[in-house]
Amino acid sequence: MKISDSILYVGVNDHKVDLFEGQYVVPNGMAYNSYLIQDEKTAVVDTVDAGFTDEWLKNIGNIVKCKAPDYLIVQHMEPDHSASIADFINAFPQAKIVSNAKAFTMMENFYDVDLEGRKIIVDNGDTLSLGKHELTFVFAPMVHWPEVMVTYDSTDKVLFSADGFGKFGANDVEEEWDDEARRYYIGIVGKYGQQVQNLLKKAAALDIQTICPLHGPVLNDDLGHYISLYNTWSSYTAESDGIVIAYTSVYGNTKKAVEILAEKLRSKGCPKVIVHDLARTDMALAVSDAFRYGKLVLATTTYNAEIFPFMREFIDHLTERNFQNRTVGLIENGSWAPLAAKIMKEMLSGSKNITWLKNTVSIKSGLKEANLNQIEKMSDELCKDFIAKSEEMANKSDLTALFKIGYGLYVVTSNDGKRDNGLIVNSVTQLTDSPNRVAVTINKANYSHEVIKKTGIMNVNCLSVEAPFKVFQTFGFQSGRDVDKFAACEHDNRSDNGLRFLAKYINAFMSLKVDQYIEWESHGMFICSVTEARVMSDRDTMTYTYYQNNVKPKPQTEGKKGYVCTVCGYIHEGELPDDFICPLCKHGVADFEPIEN
């Protein structure tokens, strides 16, 4: 297989393996990828599992013929990628081995190889010229071993990504990438989200057109999709709307409770309900689903004053992989001393940003009427945001939405007759409650001011503390005159006035009709009546202070001289002209402060 005119695939497919790393079910086998770069000098990137050495060497020989490879680049020392190093050395005695110091130490620990005079030890950022091809080595420690590095070929714009962007499954089997890549990532790399984030930041500076991983297919179409998923997974952000129920049941009573809950969740608008019987399911898939979706219900029995073993194993898998940023509910069962809920909660006590449901289901042996009421309340709590998004089921007169107003940050949405628009504001105030009147103040330079003044309607979306920085980039750092701010939005949720409201990252929204307009020097105040109000979740409102402390990226000012924008973190090096406008957020010099090192 040709990756480019001068880069070829020399890896192998393994259909003998049934459990990868002794625990992950791989019904479609595994691929052990290796690549060969032909130039004035020839380099092979990584080797393969010991069971396929002969096939791999034959693949190389069929390409190089009489011209032996000059280099073997070792990016990762796991045996499925390094087990054929000794055979390569014997087959090509003139070739040099290129790797980093940690990898060479591990090489000598793993294999009895004589590397005297054959080592090329590289450091982070070092390069190797093959002729036309210039390779740069980028260290990626703990993605997912300490010696890992990736290699970038600036000529063909190829990233050899080691275990990054890998998946389960042989390459001669056609299947969707996302599911098996997710299961692979969560199971094997999931603990090291911060390290993957660090690597993604390094990769963002490179012009990458092809990704060549050590497992799974070569990626060269829609790279944004794969990179976006890796960013989601490594930041421990929910990928999809839905609820996972993971349970164990001895005599069927806990199972029955789970079945009742699942049916209620589906009837109340939950877009996806996934149920895993932990005694029978693929544990790796159950763990992967727990990370994929935003809400999780754990249901199990008290067992020997503990919890059922499969549930303990499941929670151990979650905590080992830094499970966080999720909503979790608990169902317990116990005949004389139910302890399961307490133990499960303790096991997850070290997990960050877990929102515990207020309603817990506690069963004593068999289901009773009280348990059915508990399940009903739990389903209501779990589906609150789904119900609020629903055209049919939403309470559109929930004026407790007004309680969400604080000195916070909001996205005001509007429509100019051709497309939807939105902007970030921090001046929304409830004026009166009888009748309900809300004031929204907007800078007259903003396009939304012009649109709302013309149309007389708007929606105010109350951002919650879940809102990531990309929301502020989308709605605050660009103008609706120039871009479609909803172009990348996959949801098209609308209120009764026909305007968009955000499907995610808000705790409430209000539809407003302009009753009065007051003009000031730089701003206009719209005094409005409330025509619709919905509460989406119980998450706290995003305040300006919370945004500054927890959401806005900290600017990297070390060693730099100049000014930094206090709104978006943009750094301007050198003197700041009086008429300077931030190229990111469009704020002026008043919002810049000197860099102090």
Side-chain angles (χ1 to χ4, degrees), residues 246-250 278 298-319 330-334 337-348:
Y247 80 93
T248 65
S249 186
V250 180
L278 297 178
L298 302 172
T300 195
T301 54
T302 302
Y303 185 82
N304 289 337
E306 257 282 351
I307 57 174
F308 207 74
F310 291 113
M311 180 59 75
R312 173 165 287 280
E313 180 188 354
F314 178 67
I315 297 175
D316 282 342
H317 279 298
L318 297 182
T319 57
L330 301 173
I331 298 175
E332 66 175 358
N333 196 340
L339 295 171
K342 177 176 179 289
I343 293 169
M344 290 189 288
K345 196 165 188 177
E346 287 174 352
M347 290 184 70
L348 287 164

Side-chain angles (χ1 to χ4, degrees), residues 93-108:
Q94 303 305 313
K96 303 284 189 183
I97 312 300
V98 181
S99 198
N100 57 68
K102 284 184 179 177
F104 277 118
T105 298
M106 296 173 75
M107 215 175 292
E108 291 164 3

Side-chain angles (χ1 to χ4, degrees), residues 272-528:
K272 190 77 173 177
V273 180
I274 303 93
V275 179
H276 285 288
D277 177 353
L278 297 178
R280 295 172 175 83
T281 193
D282 173 5
M283 186 65 73
L285 178 60
V287 172
S288 174
D289 280 342
F291 280 86
R292 178 178 182 178
Y293 297 97
K295 299 177 183 180
L296 172 67
V297 177
L298 302 172
T300 195
T301 54
T302 302
Y303 185 82
N304 289 337
E306 257 282 351
I307 57 174
F308 207 74
F310 291 113
M311 180 59 75
R312 173 165 287 280
E313 180 188 354
F314 178 67
I315 297 175
D316 282 342
H317 279 298
L318 297 182
T319 57
E320 285 170 7
R321 289 161 179 79
N322 284 330
F323 185 72
Q324 56 188 277
N325 304 328
R326 297 295 188 274
T327 296
V328 180
L330 301 173
I331 298 175
E332 66 175 358
N333 196 340
S335 294
W336 56 88
L339 295 171
K342 177 176 179 289
I343 293 169
M344 290 189 288
K345 196 165 188 177
E346 287 174 352
M347 290 184 70
L348 287 164
S349 62
S351 298
K352 298 177 183 176
N353 300 325
I354 298 297
T355 300
W356 295 99
L357 293 186
K358 296 174 183 176
N359 293 284
T360 297
V361 178
S362 185
I363 305 165
K364 288 191 175 180
S365 299
L367 280 171
K368 306 295 190 301
E369 187 66 31
N371 299 133
L372 298 178
N373 292 334
Q374 291 170 344
I375 293 171
E376 186 72 40
K377 290 179 180 178
M378 176 177 279
S379 66
D380 284 341
E381 189 176 356
L382 283 165
C383 290
K384 184 172 185 176
D385 56 337
F386 303 133
I387 292 170
K389 293 174 190 175
S390 167
E391 180 64 26
E392 296 78 20
M393 293 186 288
N395 176 3
K396 299 178 182 180
S397 302
D398 188 353
L399 294 179
T400 60
L402 298 172
F403 300 159
K404 303 292 184 181
I405 295 177
Y407 186 68
L409 292 165
Y410 312 87
V411 173
V412 171
T413 52
S414 58
N415 186 290
D416 63 5
K418 295 180 179 179
R419 68 184 183 196
D420 301 296
N421 191 38
L423 86 160
I424 300 288
V425 302
N426 63 0
S427 299
V428 177
T429 307
Q430 182 180 0
L431 297 178
T432 63
D433 61 1
S434 184
N436 286 299
R437 290 288 183 270
V438 174
V440 181
T441 304
I442 301 176
N443 191 307
K444 291 194 291 185
N446 286 316
Y447 183 53
S448 292
H449 176 275
E450 176 184 328
V451 172
I452 294 167
K453 194 173 179 184
K454 183 186 299 183
T455 63
I457 57 173
M458 73 181 91
N459 282 350
V460 172
N461 297 263
C462 302
L463 291 174
S464 75
V465 291
E466 298 171 297
F469 186 63
K470 68 180 180 181
V471 172
F472 299 91
Q473 290 176 301
T474 300
F475 293 106
F477 296 173
Q478 52 189 353
S479 172
R481 290 188 179 91
D482 307 320
V483 299
D484 180 359
K485 296 186 182 183
F486 284 93
C489 183
E490 59 188 18
H491 302 286
D492 187 10
N493 299 86
R494 295 185 182 273
S495 54
D496 287 349
N497 63 8
L499 298 181
R500 298 281 284 262
F501 65 88
L502 302 191
K504 298 167 66 175
Y505 311 129
I506 65 172
N507 56 25
F509 83 84
M510 289 147 280
S511 297
L512 305 181
K513 179 179 179 297
V514 178
D515 295 325
Q516 184 180 354
Y517 175 75
I518 300 173
E519 186 173 5
W520 290 318
E521 198 168 293
S522 60
H523 288 68
M525 175 184 281
F526 298 92
I527 299 175
C528 310

